[in-house]
Amino acid sequence: CNPDGIWLDWYWPDRSTEISIDFFRKNYPDKALAFNFASYFPSSYKRLDFTAGEAHDLAGPYIKFLKSADVYLPVWCSAWKWSTFYRRFQEHSSEIISPAGRWWSDPTLRDDPNTLLRMSAIVMASGMKHSLGVTSQMEGGVYPDQVKQLKMLGAWYIPRKKLFTESVPLCYRGREPGTITTNNRKGIKIIACRHEGNILIHLINMEGSARPVDVRFRGGTWADMKKVTMEPTGRDLPIEKTFNGFRVVVNGEIDPVDTILRLRQ
């Protein structure tokens, strides 16, 4: 066994963490070193190859408290909020970890299995890795529900892989680019990236809606855009010029996870 890296759970600025870092840096200097929870400690950023945090839900609050026995434990929730936070405020390599099932100890599928795919799209479009915690049974096999979930993820991801691995998030102040709007502001979340000299617009389908999406681009940023193409299908969409930009309507090809538009100058 010759792993590419070592991942430890949890980072804490104490003696045990110091000893662990020193040990692995001395004995395994060619291995990538990561700690869960390190994303919340800026002192870790220059010491690790990448840091990690958790997100257990698609949306909702940053943190909620879950009662376990006689104590309340903090649970990091919204993949949307944490991903867009990291995109704005972190410059180093990082990842978000989520359970492949409902919870670490519950391997069953979520009510909507596409929820995990949406979380992956959000995390990766925001420039991070998405690590999934898969639950194994006592004999070593993976639970059937999680095998099904991973196959769904693979079928969705493979044709889109380069759209994530070879793109870079654009820099904008808010969670979403303020010059792009849709007719479904609650159900569609927007992430903008640069890819191969073009701009990719991810329309994350938070509710799995199949209704048409009217996307409007306002301002000088979009003045030179001449072509809009659906990814990964390659179909061109008609562009309608408006008084301060342009609009496109996606009708009939709304992806249940992430509708991706490529904007070309």
Side-chain angles (χ1 to χ4, degrees):
C1 181
N2 185 27
D4 295 321
I6 300 156
W7 186 95
L8 299 175
D9 190 15
W10 294 50
Y11 182 94
W12 199 259
D14 60 7
R15 183 60 179 158
S16 62
T17 296
E18 296 292 328
I19 292 173
S20 298
I21 292 176
D22 291 344
F23 174 82
F24 285 109
R25 289 306 191 200
K26 178 181 178 180
N27 294 283
Y28 304 95
D30 60 333
K31 307 302 181 185
L33 181 60
F35 276 76
N36 190 15
F37 206 60
S39 291
Y40 313 114
F41 291 92
S43 62
S44 74
Y45 296 172
K46 294 183 178 180
R47 307 184 67 195
L48 305 174
D49 294 287
F50 63 93
T51 66
E54 296 186 3
H56 300 84
D57 302 324
L58 175 62
Y62 279 105
I63 297 175
K64 64 184 178 183
F65 289 88
L66 178 68
K67 188 174 183 180
S68 178
D70 296 327
V71 299
Y72 285 89
L73 301 175
V75 176
W76 279 255
C77 301
S78 175
W80 169 248
K81 287 183 178 177
W82 281 115
S83 296
T84 51
F85 176 86
Y86 293 146
R87 178 189 60 77
R88 287 175 287 165
F89 299 112
Q90 286 191 351
E91 297 181 353
H92 65 278
S93 297
S94 60
E95 70 173 1
I96 284 181
I97 307 161
S98 306
R102 292 177 182 268
W103 185 245
W104 304 113
S105 57
D106 184 352
T108 60
L109 289 172
R110 299 167 189 260
D111 291 336
D112 181 356
N114 279 326
T115 295
L116 192 68
L117 279 62
R118 296 179 189 116
M119 293 167 67
S120 290
I122 289 169
V123 173
M124 292 188 295
S126 298
M128 293 175 290
K129 308 172 184 68
H130 193 205
S131 177
L132 302 181
V134 177
T135 309
S136 63
Q137 302 181 74
M138 292 301 293
E139 75 278 7
V142 177
Y143 282 90
D145 272 355
Q146 296 199 357
V147 173
K148 180 179 179 180
Q149 178 72 88
L150 294 176
K151 286 183 177 180
M152 288 181 60
L153 179 60
W156 167 83
Y157 177 66
I158 288 172
R160 298 166 175 81
K161 179 180 178 179
K162 290 186 177 181
L163 300 175
F164 292 104
T165 60
E166 299 179 4
S167 67
V168 178
L170 290 183
C171 181
Y172 44 93
R173 185 173 298 178
R175 290 196 182 113
E176 301 178 83
T179 55
I180 309 174
T181 58
T182 74
N183 58 325
N184 186 1
R185 294 191 179 188
K186 180 181 178 182
I188 299 291
K189 299 297 185 184
I190 303 168
I191 301 174
C193 302
R194 188 169 296 280
H195 180 263
E196 295 181 345
N198 307 138
I199 292 178
L200 296 183
I201 304 299
H202 293 264
L203 305 175
I204 309 295
N205 197 342
M206 303 291 280
E207 300 172 339
S209 173
R211 59 187 273 198
V213 180
D214 184 337
V215 192
R216 295 178 181 258
F217 300 82
R218 307 187 317 274
T221 302
W222 315 109
D224 296 329
M225 297 300 165
K226 301 295 192 299
K227 191 174 183 180
V228 178
T229 305
M230 298 274 292
E231 291 285 7
T233 64
R235 186 174 79 84
D236 292 338
L237 294 178
I239 296 177
E240 178 186 332
K241 293 294 183 178
T242 61
F243 76 96
N244 63 346
F246 70 94
R247 66 186 283 254
V248 295
V249 177
V250 186
N251 188 3
E253 292 185 59
I254 309 302
D255 191 89
V257 176
D258 176 21
T259 300
I260 305 174
L261 307 181
R262 180 182 295 275
L263 278 56
R264 306 175 189 267
Q265 293 182 332

